[in-house]
Amino acid sequence: DIRADLAKSQRVLKANGLTPNQLTAHIVPKLDGVVTTVGSNGLFAVGLGSDDGLRVDHVMDIYRNDRFVGKGTVVTAKDNLSVLRVQADFMKDSVREGDHVTSKF
């Protein structure tokens, strides 16, 4: 019975202090976006947000004309906009407005 299986699953999650999405929250959906604003302190904004499935701590690759620029980590995710911080160890160049961000690679 499906209802019995669902109830059992919910009890197991609750007993272990988990939520249904917690086990997959770290998985970044396949997304492509554009850097809309570059700020200071290694922060930049992209035109993707929580409505697209982005969450805090997701990591995105940054490209310019098919050339890898670096990686950024989501620090804030709003409906249609996210703020990312560059990962200094992966940066090959500085982030610019119009650069592409993706999770597809």
Side-chain angles (χ1 to χ4, degrees):
D1 180 47
I2 294 174
R3 283 182 277 182
D5 288 343
L6 180 58
K8 181 179 179 181
S9 296
Q10 289 174 335
R11 285 192 306 273
V12 169
L13 288 171
K14 186 175 180 180
N16 290 290
L18 300 171
T19 62
N21 294 329
Q22 188 173 354
L23 300 175
T24 58
H26 67 284
I27 299 172
V28 184
K30 291 183 179 182
L31 296 172
D32 284 308
V34 177
V35 175
T36 58
T37 308
V38 177
S40 59
N41 300 323
L43 298 175
F44 61 97
V46 299
L48 297 167
S50 57
D51 286 351
D52 301 298
L54 270 185
R55 305 285 180 261
V56 172
D57 293 331
H58 280 173
V59 176
M60 303 289 286
D61 293 327
I62 308 159
Y63 283 85
R64 182 178 310 125
N65 300 323
D66 296 327
R67 186 175 63 85
F68 180 74
V69 173
K71 291 181 177 278
T73 303
V74 177
V75 294
T76 303
K78 302 288 184 189
D79 296 340
N80 308 346
L81 183 74
S82 293
V83 176
L84 287 79
R85 181 180 308 280
V86 298
Q87 291 186 2
D89 293 344
F90 291 97
M91 298 308 294
K92 305 289 183 195
D93 198 352
S94 59
V95 178
R96 297 183 195 159
E97 288 182 19
D99 284 349
H100 292 271
V101 294
T102 185
S103 61
K104 289 187 177 183
F105 298 106

